[in-house]
Amino acid sequence: MTEHAITEKPRQADVVIVGNGALGLFLADELMERGMGSVVVVGPSHRETGASQAAGAMLGCFGETTTESLRTDAARTRFELGVNAHERWPAVLAKLEEFSRTGRPLLSAPDTHVVLNSIGAELDTDNFKAMLDALDQYGKPWEEMDPHDIPGFNPRLDTRALRAVHLPTEGAVDARGVLLALEARLRDAGAVQVDQSVRRLVSSDDVVTGVELDDGHLIEAGTVVVAAGIHSESLVRTVSEDIDLIPTFPGLGFAMIARRTGGDPFRSVVRTPNRGFACGLHVVPQGDGLEYYGATNRLVDSITGVTWMADVRFLAQYSMQQLDERAAGHEVVQWLAGNRPVTLDGFPMIGWLPPSGLYLMTGTYRDGFHCAPLLAEHVANELQGKPGTIDPMFAPTREPIVTRTVEWSINEYVEHNLAGWFETGAEAAPQMTTAQIAEYYRTRCVQAYDQLGIDYGLGPDILWYAQGSLLGARRIRRYLRSHRGGGETQARSVGTGSGDTQ
Ligand SMILES: Cc1cc2nc3c(=O)[nH]c(=O)nc-3n(C[C@H](O)[C@H](O)[C@H](O)COP(=O)(O)OP(=O)(O)OC[C@H]3O[C@@H](n4cnc5c(N)ncnc54)[C@H](O)[C@@H]3O)c2cc1C
């Protein structure tokens, strides 16, 4: 955006998009392509704390599969959003390539290798198997191979991979390069990009009529789309505190880009399955000898661009152990920290809000970069009054989607903690068995539910957060009690969950 700074800020537009991450820019591009009038994108060019600028941008729906991905109707619908998004990328890259500003291809890796090593407990094995089942169910290509044959892959012997599969059609894009290319294409098409923040949404008689920028400048708009990532919820609240939104939490992620100083480079994405509260350990080639190592995930109380020393250690140590021991000598050229927009039920929030003229698109958590072109298509349709291309279940004012019972949630939480326990090399007394460690986590989890006093089965990441944050626990309890009536903990029997909203 800084390439041609805007001197004259517009006073009017047909559509104002608040947020210049992947969702905002892809939407602007789609609207311009359809000739939907004047489009203004507002967002600071530094994008600090945003998710897109920190993303590994793996286009990986199958590489992301977990045992939960296809277990319920709702989860399957969400999963298929990723599958459909994947089909959009060849055309997206074809149109963006000529606007690339980095001198490197936007498709930074054409394929992925998923490795199963022994460090991450049963959860890894289960998710690996779930991935193979999903690939077969959807008729996607994959091939089992010898982990030694993966270019660049050179883990330490004690964390060597036991199995590996090649996913020939799932790669990754250069997130930062794609954002730059989108900005250039938007400039070329005549969309206005304002390098500032929106202070508040402006409304009159229950209709959103525009936005006010940080410097007080007003832009009138026919429609305002809020696509400001984790900042979206607070922005929407500037128009009314009463809008009944699913709560969102910042999922702080840390990653780094390093320059390789020796050994064979990675030529594909190499990753573990999704594991222990996070998206698995991965390396994504960036071209020019650069490699992206990611990523941590920690739900936090407030949005921040500052990462924890523990997360730096985690990523550096496990990248060296599990991906390439020569990484110890690589030069870190960029630290990346971003906040994933995480909703209470884990599903995106895409749809119109009650004050007319206001649309929300956020809550994409781990794969918003990948899904952005498809979501842009959907939102453009909705803005044109046409049928959308994704399921309406993601409406932001829905009741929280139920995919697990409390008992299921407790078991899942135990599995994730065990995975974390073994991956981090936590020490127990020598006579302590895995079953005893599991029992310890189970007891803690039951206590957490008793304290929360809710009957809604939370995802392991949200539960982990609620346990460690008074503020988080209070927010979750207040929201769920007002939405699910009463609040006595019930439904403690193991169930398969349901995909229905309640
Ligand atoms: C470390 C990490 C790794 C990830 N890896 C992947 C991956 O491999 N694949 C994948 O698909 N996804 C990945 N994700 C998730 C993905 O980045 C997000 O789902 C997606 O980028 C969200 O895009 P967004 O546009 O909604 O939000 P953001 O990227 O957060 O963009 C919101 C923008 O709004 C701007 N903004 C905020 N407040 C205001 C305001 N008041 N006025 C104007 N503008 C404002 C911000 O500056 C920001 O640029 C990763 C995320 C992280 C953090």
Side-chain angles (χ1 to χ4, degrees):
M1 269 201 221
T2 44
E3 209 169 298
H4 298 289
I6 290 156
T7 45
E8 193 80 0
K9 280 176 288 205
R11 301 220 161 262
Q12 265 187 337
D14 291 307
V15 182
V16 168
I17 299 170
V18 187
N20 57 345
L23 263 58
L25 294 185
F26 271 109
L27 175 63
D29 190 62
E30 184 73 27
L31 299 183
M32 293 307 289
E33 201 167 292
R34 295 190 190 193
M36 286 176 61
S38 51
V39 175
V40 172
V41 182
V42 186
S45 55
H46 56 68
R47 292 195 180 83
E48 274 166 23
T49 73
S52 306
Q53 52 82 31
M58 293 179 287
L59 309 180
C61 38
F62 287 93
E64 297 278 321
T65 315
T66 70
T67 50
E68 292 296 296
S69 300
L70 298 176
R71 195 174 61 80
T72 60
D73 292 345
R76 183 180 285 273
T77 304
R78 173 70 180 93
F79 181 79
E80 288 180 355
L81 203 147
V83 177
N84 294 334
H86 197 259
E87 289 160 14
R88 305 302 196 272
W89 275 94
V92 167
L93 290 171
K95 71 181 178 189
L96 284 185
E97 207 61 65
E98 67 174 292
F99 295 95
S100 174
R101 292 295 188 262
T102 59
R104 301 188 296 269
L106 294 176
L107 183 70
S108 57
D111 54 349
T112 294
H113 290 92
V114 184
V115 293
L116 175 65
N117 60 26
S118 62
I119 199 171
E122 283 300 319
L123 186 65
D124 263 29
T125 312
D126 295 343
N127 286 341
F128 192 82
K129 185 174 174 307
M131 175 187 69
L132 299 185
D133 289 347
L135 284 158
D136 285 342
Q137 263 190 51
Y138 285 83
K140 300 291 177 188
W142 63 274
E143 186 193 9
E144 181 112 26
M145 62 180 293
D146 184 339
H148 291 102
D149 294 337
I150 302 173
F153 184 57
N154 185 36
R156 279 173 41 144
L157 281 181
D158 55 353
T159 54
R160 67 194 181 279
L162 308 173
R163 291 182 70 181
V165 292
H166 180 222
L167 309 182
T169 58
E170 284 203 7
V173 293
D174 168 5
R176 289 139 295 279
V178 166
L179 294 174
L180 283 174
L182 275 166
E183 286 179 351
R185 194 172 130 92
L186 285 172
R187 270 193 302 275
D188 195 59
V192 176
Q193 299 167 71
V194 181
D195 185 357
Q196 243 182 281
S197 289
V198 166
R199 179 193 293 168
R200 67 180 183 100
L201 308 180
V202 180
S203 68
S204 160
D205 295 332
D206 225 17
V207 177
V208 170
T209 54
V211 299
E212 181 183 328
L213 305 187
D214 266 350
D215 62 1
H217 180 89
L218 294 174
I219 308 178
E220 265 180 45
T223 304
V224 173
V225 179
V226 174
I230 190 57
H231 297 265
S232 301
E233 185 180 347
S234 58
L235 262 173
V236 166
R237 300 239 175 267
T238 62
V239 79
S240 163
E241 278 293 336
D242 299 332
I243 302 176
D244 192 16
L245 285 180
I246 304 264
T248 47
F249 308 92
L252 178 62
F254 168 64
M256 53 195 174
I257 296 182
R259 185 178 304 285
R260 173 167 283 276
T261 52
D264 288 339
F266 288 99
R267 297 186 207 288
S268 62
V269 173
V270 180
R271 60 168 301 164
T272 66
N274 270 5
R275 61 157 64 137
F277 306 105
C279 48
L281 190 64
H282 51 269
V283 55
V284 184
Q286 302 285 289
D288 284 349
L290 300 175
E291 290 169 352
Y292 172 104
Y293 289 85
T296 63
N297 183 38
R298 182 190 293 276
L299 268 61
V300 290
D301 286 340
S302 42
I303 301 163
T304 174
V306 178
T307 197
W308 293 25
M309 187 83 89
D311 289 347
V312 176
R313 181 201 71 101
F314 179 95
L315 192 60
Q317 180 178 340
Y318 301 131
S319 296
M320 289 183 260
Q321 283 182 348
Q322 298 181 45
L323 296 171
D324 181 9
E325 53 184 358
R326 288 159 307 201
H330 293 356
E331 296 162 357
V332 178
V333 296
Q334 203 174 355
W335 306 92
L336 299 164
N339 295 261
R340 302 174 180 90
V342 185
T343 54
L344 179 85
D345 61 9
F347 290 85
M349 295 200 288
I350 315 284
W352 291 104
L353 289 176
S356 68
L358 181 60
Y359 198 98
L360 178 65
M361 59 188 309
T362 188
T364 51
Y365 204 169
R366 295 193 170 115
D367 67 346
F369 212 101
H370 172 61
C371 292
L374 175 71
L375 296 178
E377 207 178 291
H378 168 78
V379 177
N381 274 10
E382 293 235 295
L383 263 48
Q384 284 183 312
K386 294 182 184 169
T389 52
I390 66 167
D391 199 288
M393 67 182 256
F394 303 122
T397 50
R398 63 176 179 256
E399 290 295 295
I401 295 171
V402 179
T403 55
R404 47 174 82 75
T405 60
V406 167
E407 184 61 21
W408 191 279
S409 156
I410 293 172
N411 290 338
E412 220 185 329
Y413 179 82
V414 170
E415 286 301 315
H416 278 250
N417 274 292
L418 282 180
W421 177 283
F422 288 109
E423 187 182 15
T424 55
E427 290 284 342
Q431 69 275 20
M432 204 168 170
T433 63
T434 304
Q436 285 170 323
I437 302 170
E439 194 47 39
Y440 160 75
Y441 281 119
R442 190 177 173 80
T443 307
R444 278 190 54 179
C445 191
V446 170
Q447 279 167 358
Y449 268 109
D450 284 344
Q451 277 162 14
L452 283 167
I454 55 170
D455 66 355
Y456 177 83
L458 297 166
D461 38 7
I462 302 270
L463 196 49
W464 183 88
Y465 167 61
Q467 269 199 324
S469 159
L470 276 177
L471 190 76
R474 213 177 299 140
R475 252 186 103 196
I476 291 166
R477 186 187 307 122
R478 197 171 44 227
Y479 174 80
L480 285 172
R481 286 187 167 185
S482 71
H483 278 260
R484 295 176 55 84
E488 288 309 306
T489 305
Q490 304 155 1
R492 281 266 171 91
S493 58
V494 177
T496 53
S498 98
D500 303 332
T501 56
Q502 288 189 7

